[in-house]
Every structure is written in structure tokens, then in C-alpha cells.
Amino acid sequence: MPLRIGHRGASGTHPENTLAAFRRAVELGVQGIEFDVHRTADGELVVMHDPMVDRTTAGTGLIMTMTLAQIKSLEAGAWKGPEFAGEPVPTLREVIRATPADLLLFCELKAGSIHYPGIEQDLLALIEAEGARSRFQISSFDHKALKQIHELSPTMPLGMLYEENLLDPISMARAIGATALHPAWMWVTPELVKEAHAAGLTVNTWVVDLPPFIDMMKGAGVDGIMSNYPDRL
């Protein structure tokens, strides 16, 4: 059976990328959670999907131009429902400390040094400082950032995210030092999974919410499925 991974936590029913969503995913029996990381103007790693706070908080602005104090002053739950009012934006450190020690953490770096100079080093340093290396896999659509992380820490597990039907994703993954493919589900076939496994790569797919597609991914032999509704897995 593939790993059950809560995409941004249990984000179908709870405010995405919040501790409330992560706790609910754990209650539903996931083995891992997926979340997104940006960096504030004063160098703190925070968990949010968008580069701007506008969609999921009561504030407005770019994360990279805001301090942690400004981010922490924002309300990040009420948009999903009044019962979540007051939910804050968590830091990466808070997510590590608030989740079970055996929960796998699939951390998506939304952008590397092209937007956040030195963030690759910052992310690795925080993971090491928290003693959480064994829990982490870092993924990104920024493949240059993944290559840089591999050069800094050759044994850190890396997932190469992509949402197009790439000609040769296995060779691309090898070129950047990735240990896993993270394709959008519509490009996953049994043949791709078989070839990836033969190359020593795992395959974790996203975002799979509908039962027929969940069954399709299980049938393809993927190693992990990311879903907004982890109870359906």
C-alpha cells in the first residue's frame, strides 16, 4: 500500500498548511504530511503555499517583504470556516515540533535562491538543528534549488516535482540528485513507476482526491499518494 500523505494537511476540510490541518491529518492516520515553505524578510521559514498572504489570511502582501511578527499577526483560518478563526501561520520549526516524531515531512521549497538567496542552506540548517533529518524529504519545482541542496547535503532525500508530461523525468531526476519523482497524477503510468523503481527512485504523486483516481494510482504501484482528503486514502 502506498504512503498516505496529507496534502497541506487535511486541507479539504481544514485551513491548508496550518497546525489544525496537520493535526487532523494525523488523526486520520496519515504517515506523512506535505507542506510549503517560504522565508520572511527577517529570515524565518514559514509554512504557506502562496508567495503572498492574501488568499489564506486576512492580510495582504508578499511573504518575502514581511517580518515574522507581521506574519504571526495574521489570522489564517477563518477563510475556511468560523470554527477555525484565530488559527495562525506556523513556522517550519513549529510544524516539526508539533507533529509526531514518526510522521514523515514532505517539505516543498516553493522557490530557491532565485527568490530567497541562501534559503537552501537555511532549510538544511534548521532541519539539522531540530534533529529531524530522518523525517524529511525536500521537494520543489525549482530543480536548480534541489541540485544545490544535493551538493550541500548529498544524502538528503529529494523529490523532483513536475506537472507536465516530461520526455525523460528519470534522467532529469538523476541529474539533480533526486531520490523520488513527484509527478502530477495524470502523468503516472505503471510503466513510469516500474522504470523509476528500476532506477532506484520512488514515486509520490499529487493531488489525488477522487476515489477512482486513488484506485488508479494504487494500481500503478506508486509509493505515496498526496491527497487533500486523506480519509479517502
Side-chain angles (χ1 to χ4, degrees):
M1 289 290 289
L3 291 173
R4 301 182 301 277
I5 305 166
H7 182 254
R8 307 180 202 170
S11 58
T13 56
H14 288 59
E16 65 179 59
N17 279 329
T18 63
L19 294 183
F22 300 144
R23 291 189 185 105
R24 180 55 180 157
V26 170
E27 290 172 358
L28 292 172
V30 299
Q31 293 136 323
I33 55 171
E34 184 272 349
F35 53 85
D36 311 281
V37 168
H38 291 272
R39 190 177 66 190
T40 66
D42 51 349
E44 294 291 333
L45 298 179
V46 294
V47 175
M48 185 177 287
H49 178 270
D50 300 357
M52 300 185 71
V53 302
D54 299 49
R55 181 175 64 87
T56 57
T57 80
T60 185
L62 277 167
I63 294 172
M64 67 170 61
T65 67
M66 304 172 72
T67 65
L68 179 62
Q70 290 173 311
I71 296 289
K72 279 297 187 182
S73 72
L74 301 175
E75 196 286 319
W79 67 276
K80 195 70 173 180
E83 67 271 31
F84 302 115
E87 192 69 25
V89 176
T91 65
L92 176 55
R93 181 175 284 106
E94 288 170 339
V95 170
I96 294 170
R97 295 181 178 182
T99 52
D102 60 348
L103 185 72
L104 298 175
L105 303 176
F106 292 83
C107 174
E108 180 182 342
L109 183 62
K110 295 307 292 183
S113 286
I114 189 169
H115 288 158
Y116 300 107
I119 193 172
E120 296 88 356
Q121 294 94 326
D122 291 349
L123 176 56
L124 289 170
L126 189 150
I127 292 170
E128 293 294 346
E130 291 296 317
R133 185 184 182 89
S134 64
R135 301 174 61 191
F136 266 80
Q137 182 182 102
I138 301 171
S139 66
S140 188
F141 287 102
D142 186 343
H143 298 166
K144 287 185 177 180
L146 291 181
K147 188 173 188 297
Q148 186 169 349
I149 291 172
H150 179 66
E151 291 168 354
L152 292 167
S153 182
T155 59
M156 174 61 71
L158 302 176
M160 188 184 80
L161 276 161
Y162 62 98
E163 57 183 338
E164 304 294 341
N165 194 13
L166 299 180
L167 182 63
D168 191 355
I170 292 172
S171 292
M172 290 180 64
R174 283 173 164 167
I176 62 177
T179 54
L181 301 180
H182 284 200
W185 70 266
M186 67 281 296
W187 306 123
V188 175
T189 64
E191 292 75 23
L192 172 68
V193 175
K194 183 177 180 180
E195 291 172 9
H197 287 170
L201 302 171
T202 55
V203 180
N204 303 307
T205 189
W206 55 277
V207 175
V208 196
D209 288 342
L210 298 179
F213 299 139
I214 292 172
D215 290 341
M216 186 185 301
M217 292 301 98
K218 289 180 179 179
V222 298
D223 300 281
I225 299 176
M226 301 180 192
S227 179
N228 296 320
Y229 298 90
D231 52 308
R232 299 177 184 175
L233 299 178

